[in-house]
Amino acid sequence: MDTIQKSLLEKLTDLHDIPEGAYNIRANGSLGARNTTANIDIVSKQDKDGIDIIIKPNTKNESVHIPVIISKTGIDDLVYNDFYIGENADVTIVAGCGIHNTGDEKSSHDGIHTFHVGKNAKIKYVERHYGQGDGTGENIMNPKTVIEIDDGGYMEMETTQIKGIDSTERITEAKLGNEAKLVIRESLMTHGKQYAKTDFTVELNGENSSANVVSRSVAKDSSYQVFYSNIKGNNKCAGHTECDAIIMDDAKVCAIPEITANHIDASLIHEAAIGKIAGEQLMKLMTLGLTEQEAEEQIVNGFLK
Amino acid sequence: MLELIDVSFKVSSDEGEKEILKNINLKIDDRFVAITGPNGGGKSTLAKVIAGIYPVTSGKIIFNGTDITNMSITDRAKLGISFAFQQPVRFKGLTVRDLITLASGKQISVSDACAYLSEVGLCARDYIDREINASLSGGELKRIEIAMIMARGTQLSVFDEPEAGIDLWSFNNLIRVFQKMHDQTNGSIMIISHQEKILDIADKIVVVANGEVKSYGKKDEILPELLHRQSAGFGCVKL
Ligand SMILES: Nc1ncnc2c1ncn2[C@@H]1O[C@H](COP(=O)(O)OP(=O)(O)OP(=O)(O)O)[C@@H](O)[C@H]1O
Ligand SMILES: [Mg+2]
């Protein structure tokens, strides 16, 4: 890996070098490096670009890193990754895409991630999207996540996009079985002329299934964000969706939370709030000696943390 | 140390202009000054004018020989003025530790941050990583606000009704906190309060009513007069 690729990797995974455990690094549209363990296998797909990640039942305390790094301009990447998480497994999966585009052509990465979470399995999925580069070429990412959680399974998804992605449409679809639980936390910051659309659809099909979808976002400059979520309660279940956005400058934010109850014992809540940084918050931090700009940074960073 | 010369503050609304502070002249050299007076009298406004949150309409403010009248909130803070709000502000995502660190202006250890919390009677371990959000009670927020001012440790600390919402047991401890600040620091403390016990530990008392300084003098002179009027039944309106 060169230094640009290493710096992208660090942004995505907090790691300075090759990760521990199982990993698959994809660089500029092809396989960079791969490691498998006794419990976690990674196999390239035959019919299209992408990999199958197969985690054996009862695998505990292991992790899989699957960063995608694009450091050339004009790369158009589309991958299909399928995760099979065996029964009773308890693992962490870190994915993400970093683009360093110094050219004037657009670079894009579209990933379709499908999770099959087995009975009573527990997974934490961390996904980061990051773009950099001083070229005029656009950085585009359109990740799609499809989630199926079997009875008693649990998935926690943390998705972050803080900078540098010019255009993104992120679709997440989930179906939950009995006693299954899904927690999604999204942090998003857009600036410049960026556009970001988020679209969550969660179907609570199983008895006592539950979902909590929380999005926090900051829209700066003349960027544009759309948040859409729909939680469908098809059984005795509990669902909560929340979108909380700070709007700055000339940005535009649109929040459309939707809940649909198809069962008498479905209990669903949605909340949405959009507003600018409160003047008294800025003033409080300024009385501590921060400049207005420093105060704004602290408030935004804390909010997205 | 702090001098206000002919300070006025007006706001304009649909009903016309309203003068909230009227020609305030006040020279403060004492280490511990309490400001009291009826609700709506202008105490908080006076504190905000000192901290730079409200710009004066006319007049001058001198702090340690420097004219700070046209200085920003930030510059006054850097010069050594701290202000604990009557209504503390909540922040989604920022933790108690974050704010105490920002207040101290440097990287401080967890145990240092915890020491400030313990001073105000909060069990540090339970609070240090809490978000300053809607989940904190009013009294907890007030105490954290005081801890932040202690962490700043500046020349002048202005507290706007620090005792409001603080329970009885803690109230006595709070008095001890201010006494300790008074004894251990070289800074000056200005407390806006309605509590006799707090007025009683001050060197001097300022009575502000109707946007004006009604009286200003040694505690021993002002306090008996205030208490006398209160017991005579004039208390709330005629201060
Ligand atoms: N920004 C403003 N615009 C209009 N009126 C204001 C503004 N700020 C304060 N006031 C008014 O000025 C008066 C003084 O308010 P201030 O908050 O200073 O009173 P106070 O002495 O602190 O009262 P309390 O003891 O209730 O805290 C009040 O009548 C209040 O309504
Ligand atoms: Mg007040």
Side-chain angles (χ1 to χ4, degrees):
Chain A
M1 275 195 295
D2 59 29
T3 46
I4 288 177
Q5 294 186 349
K6 274 194 180 168
S7 113
L8 285 174
L9 186 69
E10 197 178 326
K11 288 273 190 323
L12 296 177
T13 60
D14 293 332
L15 299 169
H16 301 288
D17 223 312
I18 301 291
E20 296 264 312
Y23 61 82
N24 188 89
I25 302 174
R26 183 179 172 86
N28 293 322
S30 54
L31 176 62
R34 174 179 297 170
N35 187 47
T36 58
T37 69
N39 294 322
I40 302 177
D41 201 12
I42 302 177
V43 189
S44 296
K45 282 190 188 295
Q46 298 303 321
D47 52 336
K48 52 194 171 192
D49 259 337
I51 47 178
D52 287 332
I53 293 119
I54 302 140
I55 298 168
K56 282 192 186 156
N58 302 309
T59 303
K60 302 273 186 213
N61 299 321
E62 284 200 45
S63 64
V64 189
H65 285 80
I66 51 157
V68 172
I69 292 162
I70 296 174
S71 57
K72 284 188 186 149
T73 190
I75 294 265
D76 234 332
D77 205 14
L78 171 65
V79 291
Y80 296 83
N81 294 337
D82 287 279
F83 301 82
Y84 297 89
I85 297 119
E87 289 180 16
N88 298 311
D90 185 350
V91 290
T92 300
I93 297 170
V94 181
C97 178
I99 299 184
H100 180 92
N101 189 354
T102 51
D104 48 13
E105 283 178 74
K106 89 177 181 75
S107 285
S108 72
H109 173 78
D110 296 346
I112 298 169
H113 289 181
T114 307
F115 290 85
H116 306 273
V117 182
K119 282 200 177 71
N120 300 314
K122 201 174 154 194
I123 95 154
K124 178 169 178 167
Y125 174 53
V126 181
E127 180 190 72
R128 291 187 187 148
H129 295 111
Y130 178 79
Q132 62 184 34
D134 33 28
T136 52
E138 276 191 301
N139 297 329
I140 298 175
M141 284 184 201
N142 294 315
K144 180 169 179 181
T145 308
V146 179
I147 300 166
E148 274 174 36
I149 309 179
D150 212 331
D151 296 352
Y154 172 83
M155 176 157 168
E156 192 182 322
M157 172 171 166
E158 208 181 282
T159 164
T160 311
Q161 176 189 314
I162 296 301
K163 255 193 153 142
I165 308 300
D166 297 291
S167 171
T168 177
E169 293 208 5
R170 292 112 59 78
I171 298 173
T172 303
E173 293 168 359
K175 289 192 172 87
L176 276 68
N178 294 329
E179 312 279 339
K181 188 171 176 189
L182 174 66
V183 175
I184 299 178
R185 271 189 299 270
E186 175 189 62
S187 307
L188 178 67
M189 186 179 92
T190 53
H191 57 115
K193 292 195 179 79
Q194 295 174 351
Y195 165 69
K197 182 181 170 188
T198 305
D199 182 343
F200 294 108
T201 306
V202 179
E203 290 185 47
L204 296 170
N205 297 329
E207 196 174 326
N208 294 321
S209 57
S210 68
N212 189 13
V213 176
V214 178
S215 166
R216 279 196 179 175
S217 72
V218 175
K220 291 186 179 178
D221 305 324
S222 50
S223 61
Y224 177 33
Q225 294 180 3
V226 180
F227 171 87
Y228 174 78
S229 76
N230 187 359
I231 296 190
K232 295 176 188 168
N234 300 327
N235 207 324
K236 177 171 184 278
C237 63
H240 174 246
T241 160
E242 180 184 329
C243 161
D244 205 340
I246 291 181
I247 183 166
M248 296 166 78
D249 313 310
D250 297 315
K252 230 168 97 173
V253 179
C254 185
I256 313 154
E258 189 178 332
I259 46 180
T260 311
N262 294 315
H263 191 279
I264 181 79
D265 289 319
S267 154
L268 307 172
I269 299 171
H270 77 64
E271 295 173 80
I274 303 171
K276 63 172 191 246
I277 295 176
E280 57 172 14
Q281 291 185 332
L282 290 173
M283 273 175 212
K284 179 72 243 178
L285 296 189
M286 286 161 76
T287 63
L288 302 182
L290 279 71
T291 63
E292 187 170 348
Q293 207 184 340
E294 288 165 347
E296 210 172 85
E297 269 166 34
Q298 287 292 339
I299 293 165
V300 165
N301 290 346
F303 184 73
L304 292 176
K305 196 168 51 190
Chain B
M1 190 217 26
L2 183 75
E3 191 175 1
L4 284 83
I5 306 164
D6 273 333
V7 167
S8 295
F9 176 68
K10 291 181 192 164
V11 288
S12 40
S13 63
D14 300 340
E15 296 102 64
E17 260 193 359
K18 187 179 168 195
E19 193 165 20
I20 299 176
L21 295 179
K22 304 165 189 166
N23 286 72
I24 302 264
N25 283 290
L26 201 58
K27 193 169 175 185
I28 289 168
D29 286 312
D30 297 271
R31 294 274 316 284
F32 199 132
V33 176
I35 302 179
T36 193
N39 292 137
K43 302 177 297 298
S44 294
T45 308
L46 182 64
K48 286 177 188 169
V49 158
I50 293 169
I53 290 170
Y54 290 156
V56 300
T57 310
S58 61
K60 263 189 185 178
I61 306 174
I62 313 288
F63 179 61
N64 285 334
T66 309
D67 185 343
I68 60 164
T69 316
N70 297 313
M71 271 194 191
S72 67
I73 304 175
T74 310
D75 289 339
R76 294 187 203 201
K78 285 184 175 155
L79 211 59
I81 298 178
S82 297
F83 177 37
F85 288 17
Q86 185 169 6
Q87 258 117 24
V89 183
R90 295 172 203 260
F91 295 88
K92 271 186 197 157
L94 290 178
T95 61
V96 174
R97 184 203 302 223
D98 291 336
L99 283 200
I100 290 190
T101 306
L102 287 174
S104 77
K106 54 180 191 287
Q107 278 306 319
I108 54 169
S109 67
V110 177
S111 64
D112 285 341
C114 287
Y116 295 118
L117 290 177
S118 308
E119 287 281 358
V120 294
L122 293 176
C123 177
R125 239 178 315 121
D126 300 346
Y127 285 92
I128 194 82
D129 288 319
R130 289 269 303 265
E131 270 184 44
I132 314 258
N133 62 15
S135 75
L136 286 170
S137 80
E140 288 167 342
L141 273 173
K142 286 293 268 192
R143 297 192 201 192
I144 292 162
E145 187 82 2
I146 295 165
M148 283 197 286
I149 303 304
M150 295 173 68
R152 292 206 76 218
T154 54
Q155 263 279 303
L156 174 65
S157 302
V158 183
F159 296 89
D160 196 347
E161 297 193 27
E163 80 284 2
I166 294 207
D167 54 67
L168 267 181
W169 179 85
S170 313
F171 182 70
N172 290 323
N173 285 304
L174 198 66
I175 301 261
R176 243 167 272 146
V177 166
F178 291 123
Q179 273 169 331
K180 197 168 156 191
M181 267 181 99
H182 184 250
D183 295 342
Q184 293 185 349
T185 68
N186 303 316
S188 299
I189 303 170
M190 211 167 170
I191 299 189
I192 298 173
S193 177
H194 299 286
Q195 291 295 326
E196 185 189 334
K197 271 193 175 168
I198 288 190
L199 304 184
D200 197 42
I201 55 171
D203 300 323
K204 280 194 177 164
I205 298 176
V206 184
V207 181
V208 174
N210 201 16
E212 292 173 302
V213 175
K214 284 281 135 91
S215 46
Y216 175 36
K218 290 219 170 67
K219 175 202 59 183
D220 298 334
E221 296 158 17
I222 307 280
L223 194 56
E225 191 188 329
L226 281 173
L227 296 174
H228 173 74
R229 278 199 243 170
Q230 222 167 29
S231 58
F234 296 112
C236 46
V237 271
K238 292 244 170 111
L239 257 180

